[in-house]
Amino acid sequence: MNAAILCLAFIAGLLSTAFVGGGYAILALGIVASVFAKRLWRGSPKSQVWLIAGLVGLLASFYFQARTPQPAANDISQFFANEQQVVTVQGKITSMPRLTRSQRGQFWLTASWLDGNRVTGKVYVTVPLLQATGLYPGQKIAVTGVLYQPATAVNPGGFDFRAYLAREGTFAGLSGRQVEAQEQETPRWGWWKIRQKIVRSQVRWLGSPSGPLVSSMVMGGRAVDLPYDIRDRFVQVGLAHALAASGFQTSLILGAILALLRRFSVMVQVGFAGGALILFLGLTGLQPSVIRAVVMGFAVLVAIGTKRKVKPLGSLLAAATLLLLFNPLWIWDLGFQLSFLATLGLIVTVPPIVKHLDRLPVTIATLIAVPAAATLWTLPLQLQVFGVVPLYSLIVNILSTPLIAIVSVGGIVSAIASLIYPLAGSALAWLLYYPTHFLIKLVEFFTQLPGNSIAVGKISVLQLLIVYSLIVLAWLQPWWQKRSWLVGIMAIGIVLIPMWHAKYTVFRVTVLATSEPVLVLQDRGQVLLVNSCNSNTVQFSILPFLQQQGVNHIDWAIATNSQTSRRCWEELNQRLSVKNFYTSTEKQTLVAGDTKVQIDDDLLQLEIKEQTWLLLNNVAPEKQKQLASTKQLPRAQVLWWSGEVLEEVVEVVKPKVAIASAADVDSPIISLLNQSKIPLSRTLNDGAMQWTPTEGFKTTVDEVENSAALL
């Protein structure tokens, strides 16, 4: 009991780093518990234990800060030049090149030289795909390209690339153009060569995407270049865990080896099983979830070797504590969090669910209980991070579990055979064609069903804590266990009621920080989207924002550039239903809730709560002069444009606020706006702009940074 409290205090101390002074709050809780715990809990540990636990929590917060990566004085990130300056970086590759969504090769590089100057630090490098071909970890290379500072999140719900790299100990990115290898001789051994040998063997007769899928289910998605469309479909239906090597594969490896060697001595079984776990860990590339599973696997082997009974819950807590002692930054690794919660759910929740399903055969009851328990414990965190519920997740998990088990077991056997005789590995992998094919078709079927994922909006940290408190009560307290239905209703209410209230009472206009004009108007549950964009804008800016806001349909959509944005509208339509669609080529007037919209070629005029917003999208200077001279431009409180020349327009429109969907605005325009005392916001620099009738205009950068700090 005392050890468990200290472990929990250590974990709580790491989690407290999300808040200013969080470590001192843990210490205060320890002091309060030392005074009152005995009065409220008969079996409570001694007061000294609670005091020590509070101190452990405080020290854990200090330990986290001490281990947080910081750039050194000669880190390569200290040498940022202008955005167009080409530099040459020399260093050693530390990861196998991977394919990005933009079809470029990506790898991590430990830098040693920058244009002849000695530097340190790790760099996130992307290069043209052909330039990445043949590269391998440990190779010394020189990359010529543009060194840049990673971008932070500028839109609500957007990906904070800078924070992600900082957690990896990286503070610079390099957009490479050319790679020159400084070592021509390929090493004879390396984990990457073993992985490559397995993948090639399994892909040889299975082809793509079946071959990479089998390899991903054996070694994890991070170790294999699985096509992004397959990866996205698995994530969309709630099967992301199938692509992440973790406890499931570990249990399969242990079970298979112990069964095959049951006639041998215990030491032989433990030795071979331990070696297999180490091999599995090396193949997956030291991922946090895999390390957690392997540590628990070794706990099982120690128990077998010493003939002691394993306590799963204690093993999980010990494994988590050891991993976080090794790397406290993993406390904010989403994969680590989901893996820990899913395993906890399997340990404490599967038995009661199976007991409730006692009328069903044990196999079927377990088939239902395992995904149900994992979903119960991981869904609140997913809502806090993504704000999306995979509607068919439980059904898909139940139906796919037999297929996943067959493919995983067969993939492991095929991988072992590939290392001995590649042709035998290919033959065994070929036997998995139909299970893999059926699994892919099953996932595709559910992704095509309407409402396959429902956006409910991101829940707050307070909501997250309350929901998990209810789940823990239902786990530990008999009174709540008997009323689990009440816990479920309360948890759903805590999530949905605030979301419903916000959704149907808010009136908000958001201009997203994108290179092309994008506006989202939320009017008490109805949504207007003005969009001139590309596919990247849809994927990384628009959809994350709409998911965060709990938007599942668009009532009115206006394409300000119907030719270039057709593909992105098709992509949007696959995820969200669009009720009414308009293009800027049609001169017309429409009423969107309380907002009146006039569409006229390059001009878009919106009457929003007695305010006039005027959008000029990529209007050439000659056209601007013509519009200004012929007095076709109305007076407007808000002028929103793409950042090009605008002098005549400003003089005619006389706006009170100017918003540029651009990073740079010409100096004469800035001077003119300053002279007229018109505030200017450049969204790509200042972040997305939001306007509400009560609070007026504000940027969302602070909100985004505060949210990102929690994960």
Side-chain angles (χ1 to χ4, degrees), residues 314-333:
S315 298
L316 176 63
L317 185 59
T321 305
L322 290 174
L323 291 177
L324 293 173
L325 279 169
F326 174 72
N327 187 352
L329 301 181
W330 281 343
I331 192 68
W332 298 119
D333 182 272

Side-chain angles (χ1 to χ4, degrees), residues 295-582:
V295 169
M296 290 195 67
F298 273 107
V300 172
L301 293 179
V302 170
I304 293 174
T306 58
K307 298 182 179 179
R308 293 182 179 179
K309 186 176 180 181
V310 178
K311 295 181 179 179
L313 198 57
S315 298
L316 176 63
L317 185 59
T321 305
L322 290 174
L323 291 177
L324 293 173
L325 279 169
F326 174 72
N327 187 352
L329 301 181
W330 281 343
I331 192 68
W332 298 119
D333 182 272
L334 183 60
F336 177 86
Q337 294 171 340
L338 292 174
S339 174
F340 178 84
L341 289 170
T343 305
L344 178 62
L346 297 181
I347 293 172
V348 304
T349 309
V350 167
I353 294 178
V354 172
K355 185 177 179 181
H356 280 295
L357 300 175
D358 55 355
R359 295 183 179 180
L360 298 174
V362 176
T363 303
I364 297 177
T366 304
L367 194 65
I368 297 173
V370 169
T375 300
L376 173 67
W377 283 85
T378 58
L379 185 58
L381 180 59
Q382 293 183 56
L383 288 177
Q384 203 277 328
V385 177
F386 304 112
V388 177
V389 177
L391 191 60
Y392 308 116
S393 174
L394 184 58
I395 299 174
V396 175
N397 274 275
I398 293 172
L399 295 177
S400 63
T401 295
L403 294 172
I404 292 173
I406 293 171
V407 174
S408 297
V409 173
I412 291 172
V413 174
S414 169
I416 295 172
S418 300
L419 299 178
I420 302 171
Y421 183 50
L423 196 60
S426 300
L428 290 171
W430 176 77
L431 297 175
L432 300 174
Y433 173 78
Y434 286 107
T436 308
H437 180 74
F438 291 149
L439 179 60
I440 293 174
K441 291 300 180 183
L442 177 69
V443 171
E444 289 179 349
F445 171 76
F446 279 97
T447 55
Q448 293 170 1
L449 290 180
N452 55 75
S453 61
I454 303 296
V456 299
K458 291 186 178 181
I459 63 175
S460 67
V461 175
L462 179 60
Q463 288 173 285
L464 180 73
L465 294 176
I466 294 174
V467 171
Y468 274 121
S469 298
L470 289 172
I471 295 175
V472 171
L473 278 176
W475 162 34
L476 297 176
Q477 293 294 326
W479 191 90
W480 288 98
Q481 289 175 2
K482 297 177 182 178
R483 295 162 180 82
S484 56
W485 58 270
L486 179 60
V487 173
I489 292 175
M490 292 173 64
I492 292 173
I494 289 167
V495 171
L496 295 183
I497 291 176
M499 180 274 298
W500 178 87
H501 178 266
K503 183 175 181 179
Y504 290 100
T505 58
V506 69
F507 186 97
R508 181 189 297 124
V509 181
T510 304
V511 178
L512 295 181
T514 56
S515 57
E516 297 285 344
V518 177
L519 177 144
V520 179
L521 187 150
Q522 298 164 266
D523 184 357
R524 296 178 292 273
Q526 296 179 307
V527 178
L528 165 69
L529 174 63
V530 178
N531 179 14
S532 172
C533 66
N534 53 47
S535 295
N536 285 336
T537 302
V538 171
Q539 188 170 7
F540 298 112
S541 299
I542 297 177
L543 283 175
F545 173 73
L546 295 179
Q547 289 176 359
Q548 185 206 50
Q549 299 297 313
V551 174
N552 292 290
H553 71 274
I554 298 171
D555 297 276
W556 304 278
I558 301 174
T560 56
N561 192 331
S562 58
Q563 294 181 349
T564 60
S565 58
R566 178 176 299 178
R567 181 179 299 177
C568 76
W569 280 111
E570 292 174 353
E571 187 172 347
L572 264 174
N573 223 5
Q574 293 175 359
R575 304 288 296 273
L576 303 170
S577 62
V578 179
K579 293 185 178 180
N580 301 285
F581 182 78
Y582 307 90

Side-chain angles (χ1 to χ4, degrees), residues 46-352:
K46 295 179 180 180
S47 300
Q48 296 91 322
V49 174
W50 292 110
L51 286 173
I52 295 173
L55 185 60
V56 167
L58 177 62
L59 293 176
S61 67
F62 292 155
Y63 179 55
F64 180 89
Q65 298 297 335
R67 290 290 304 275
T68 300
Q70 298 293 335
N74 64 336
D75 188 271
I76 191 171
S77 62
Q78 307 288 355
F79 298 89
F80 288 125
N82 63 70
E83 295 183 359
Q84 301 301 322
Q85 182 172 346
V86 177
V87 298
T88 299
V89 179
Q90 295 174 285
K92 182 183 293 186
I93 300 174
T94 59
S95 69
M96 195 67 189
R98 295 173 53 85
L99 184 67
T100 67
R101 289 183 183 273
S102 56
Q103 301 301 304
R104 287 171 64 86
Q106 182 276 321
F107 54 87
W108 299 93
L109 182 75
T110 298
S112 55
W113 295 93
L114 171 64
D115 286 341
N117 298 314
R118 172 74 72 173
V119 294
T120 60
K122 193 166 66 169
V123 188
Y124 179 92
V125 182
T126 57
V127 296
L129 186 57
L130 290 178
Q131 293 288 323
T133 304
L135 300 181
Y136 55 85
Q139 184 180 20
K140 293 181 180 180
I141 61 171
V143 184
T144 301
V146 177
L147 190 70
Y148 63 89
Q149 183 179 31
T152 186
V154 290
N155 289 307
F159 178 60
D160 195 331
F161 187 44
R162 186 181 302 176
Y164 163 73
L165 292 187
R167 288 194 294 271
E168 299 289 333
T170 304
F171 306 94
L174 180 64
S175 179
R177 302 176 181 177
Q178 186 175 357
V179 176
E180 181 181 347
Q182 297 179 332
E183 287 185 355
Q184 300 295 334
E185 194 172 327
T186 305
R188 296 181 179 180
W189 188 91
W191 285 112
W192 65 273
K193 295 198 75 172
I194 298 176
R195 293 188 204 109
Q196 197 175 68
K197 188 174 183 179
I198 292 173
V199 173
R200 286 177 176 174
S201 177
Q202 293 179 334
V203 171
R204 180 181 293 140
W205 287 358
L206 271 179
S208 183
S210 296
L213 178 59
V214 172
S215 301
S216 296
M217 295 174 70
V218 174
M219 297 182 290
R222 294 186 182 182
V224 180
D225 262 335
L226 183 66
Y228 278 101
D229 57 340
I230 298 295
R231 191 192 305 267
D232 292 341
R233 291 190 187 112
F234 272 73
V235 172
Q236 194 173 346
V237 298
L239 285 180
H241 61 86
L243 307 179
S246 58
F248 182 74
Q249 286 85 347
T250 303
S251 61
L252 285 175
I253 292 170
L254 286 179
I257 291 179
L258 293 176
L260 290 172
L261 302 177
R262 62 182 180 273
R263 295 183 179 180
F264 293 85
S265 66
V266 173
M267 294 306 297
V268 172
Q269 295 179 37
V270 171
F272 274 90
L277 289 180
I278 293 174
L279 176 63
F280 176 63
L281 185 61
L283 289 175
T284 56
L286 300 179
Q287 303 172 34
S289 59
V290 181
I291 298 176
R292 189 269 312 157
V294 169
V295 169
M296 290 195 67
F298 273 107
V300 172
L301 293 179
V302 170
I304 293 174
T306 58
K307 298 182 179 179
R308 293 182 179 179
K309 186 176 180 181
V310 178
K311 295 181 179 179
L313 198 57
S315 298
L316 176 63
L317 185 59
T321 305
L322 290 174
L323 291 177
L324 293 173
L325 279 169
F326 174 72
N327 187 352
L329 301 181
W330 281 343
I331 192 68
W332 298 119
D333 182 272
L334 183 60
F336 177 86
Q337 294 171 340
L338 292 174
S339 174
F340 178 84
L341 289 170
T343 305
L344 178 62
L346 297 181
I347 293 172
V348 304
T349 309
V350 167

